[in-house]
């Protein structure tokens, strides 16, 4: 649906964002895609408006997703769902300001049918991994799988296990972290009074001089949960610059993202009842970092 307005003076992208109530990134994308015209002419995002020009814009609706080519590392697939290993650095689904380069775009590009229920920009997505986290996740292709998987995640009946390398020597072999979490801007913080309940079970796999390899099993599915919980107990994930895991230890290991990998997922298939259990070894960047710590 085309939206028209009389411009105020200023840059075109800034004025489109203001007039339509969208982010500047979305305004720039609309301009670059030729969906904005000034007095009937497509202009550059930096075009200077004098004020009074007639601007026509066609915003992209939520769910208007573009298929993109690229490889997918599928580990299990049937007509209802698939399990794949997500590459690090790839967001799972588009957002209002990030429409391309996501796992959903790539799945659509590969011709995978994704259940369209739920949120328009998240077809088939029943759980997520952070962009910097690699490893296994499950995607729904039809309504029975989507409904069944959503129920399994709500009841915490999906066995998810992550490998992570944290700063410092963890002395307790196994323990449970229970700390309510609350979003605060781009960060998530542990906040007992107003946060949402969150719990993560952690177990030591291997100890080193200044680091510990651990397995984390989230019992709940809050945003950044493992990262914030480990940071809250004084053992941030190495490479996680947002939550205290950056610095020399990450630089020495060549880590440009958190050492966090979803290495195992297990669940009862929501349609067939078959038990699905998949393992995924550490990707090259994390395997090299771990080898360096062991030397």
């Amino acid at each position: 649906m085309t939206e028209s307005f009389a411009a105020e003076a200023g840059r075109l992208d800034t004025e489109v964002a203001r007039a339509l109530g969208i982010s500047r990134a979305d305004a720039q994308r609309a301009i670059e895609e030729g969906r904005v015209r000034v007095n009937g002419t497509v202009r550059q995002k930096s075009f200077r408006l004098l004020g009074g020009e007639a601007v026509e814009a066609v915003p992209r609706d939520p769910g208007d997703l573009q298929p993109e080519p690229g490889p997918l590392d599928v580990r299990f697939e049937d007509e209802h769902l698939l399990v794949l290993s997500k590459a690090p650095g790839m967001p799972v689904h588009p957002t209002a300001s990030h429409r391309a380069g996501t796992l959903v775009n790539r799945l659509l590009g590969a011709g995978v049918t994704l259940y369209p229920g739920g949120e328009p920009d998240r077809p088939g997505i029943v759980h997520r991994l952070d962009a910097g986290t690699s490893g296994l996740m499950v995607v729904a292709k039809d309504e029975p799988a989507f409904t069944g998987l959503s129920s399994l995640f709500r009841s915490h009946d999906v066995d998810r296990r992550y490998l992570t390398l944290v700063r410092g020597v963890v002395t307790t072999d196994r323990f449970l972290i229970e700390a309510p979490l609350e979003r605060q801007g781009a960060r998530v913080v542990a906040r007992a009074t107003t946060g949402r309940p969150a719990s993560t079970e952690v177990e030591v796999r291997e100890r080193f001089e200044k680091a510990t390899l651990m397995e984390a099993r989230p019992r709940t599915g809050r945003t950044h949960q493992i990262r914030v919980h480990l940071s809250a107990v004084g053992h941030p994930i190495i490479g996680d610059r947002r939550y205290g895991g950056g610095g020399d230890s990450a630089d020495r290991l060549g880590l440009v993202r958190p050492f966090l990998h979803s290495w195992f997922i297990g669940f009862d298939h929501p349609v067939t009842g078959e038990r699905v259990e998949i393992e995924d070894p550490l990707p090259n960047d994390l395997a090299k970092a771990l080898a360096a710590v062991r030397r």
Side-chain angles (χ1 to χ4, degrees):
M1 178 178 176
T2 301
E3 297 196 32
S4 302
F5 60 92
E8 296 182 3
R11 275 179 59 116
L12 178 58
D13 55 355
T14 302
E15 179 59 9
V16 169
R18 183 202 64 77
L20 301 187
I22 61 178
S23 70
R24 189 171 173 182
D26 275 352
Q28 291 175 346
R29 188 170 295 107
I31 294 166
E32 291 166 358
E33 293 174 353
R35 294 186 282 113
V36 176
R37 294 178 179 271
V38 180
N39 291 335
T41 302
V42 174
R43 299 291 190 180
Q44 297 295 314
K45 63 185 179 183
S46 59
F47 180 76
R48 302 300 301 187
L49 297 163
L50 299 177
E53 294 93 338
V55 179
E56 294 183 338
V58 183
R60 177 170 283 171
D61 293 330
D64 182 10
L65 306 177
Q66 299 302 306
E68 295 177 359
L72 291 170
D73 188 359
V74 177
R75 303 302 177 87
F76 173 89
E77 183 174 13
D78 62 15
E79 65 269 34
H80 303 290
L81 58 84
L82 61 83
V83 178
L84 53 81
S85 179
K86 186 188 80 69
M90 177 182 291
V92 169
H93 61 82
T95 63
S97 59
H98 194 120
R99 306 300 299 172
T102 76
L103 179 63
V104 165
N105 296 112
R106 190 164 292 187
L107 286 165
L108 294 173
V112 177
T113 299
L114 299 175
Y115 177 64
E119 299 179 27
D121 286 341
R122 299 176 54 177
I125 302 301
V126 293
H127 72 120
R128 294 176 292 174
L129 298 178
D130 295 339
T133 302
S134 56
L136 297 169
M137 58 179 297
V138 58
V139 176
K141 299 168 71 174
D142 59 19
E143 190 278 333
F146 185 87
T147 300
L149 287 169
S150 298
S151 177
L152 288 175
F153 277 99
R154 281 195 302 271
S155 59
H156 314 306
D157 288 325
V158 178
D159 186 358
R160 294 177 292 157
R161 308 179 196 178
Y162 295 75
L163 285 175
T164 182
L165 186 69
V166 303
R167 180 176 291 162
V169 180
V170 180
T171 57
T172 305
D173 290 341
R174 184 173 182 174
F175 55 98
L176 181 66
I177 304 171
E178 292 187 292
L181 301 179
E182 180 179 87
R183 182 178 286 279
Q184 191 175 77
R187 292 170 55 87
V188 174
V189 297
R191 183 155 293 166
T193 54
T194 57
R196 300 175 67 190
S199 60
T200 305
E201 184 180 350
V202 291
E203 183 175 0
V204 171
R205 284 287 198 92
E206 194 171 352
R207 293 183 177 94
F208 308 100
E209 183 179 356
K210 296 181 179 180
T212 306
L213 180 67
M214 306 192 72
E215 180 179 88
R217 297 188 183 187
R219 292 185 177 179
T220 51
R222 309 301 182 207
T223 299
H224 299 180
Q225 176 174 314
I226 297 173
R227 298 163 61 188
V228 177
H229 272 175
L230 287 168
S231 179
V233 297
H235 295 286
I237 296 172
I238 298 178
D240 190 353
R241 287 160 175 81
R242 178 171 293 182
Y243 295 111
D248 291 344
S249 57
D251 295 341
R252 283 196 301 269
L253 298 178
L255 287 172
V256 296
R257 53 109 168 186
F259 191 119
L260 185 61
H261 178 69
S262 173
W263 81 272
F264 177 90
I265 191 167
F267 57 92
D268 293 333
H269 194 295
V271 179
T272 68
E274 164 190 12
R275 184 65 181 174
V276 178
E277 293 187 349
I278 311 291
E279 296 183 10
D280 187 27
L282 286 174
N284 288 337
D285 63 332
L286 302 189
K288 289 179 180 178
L290 183 59
V293 171
R294 284 176 170 152
R295 285 201 291 267

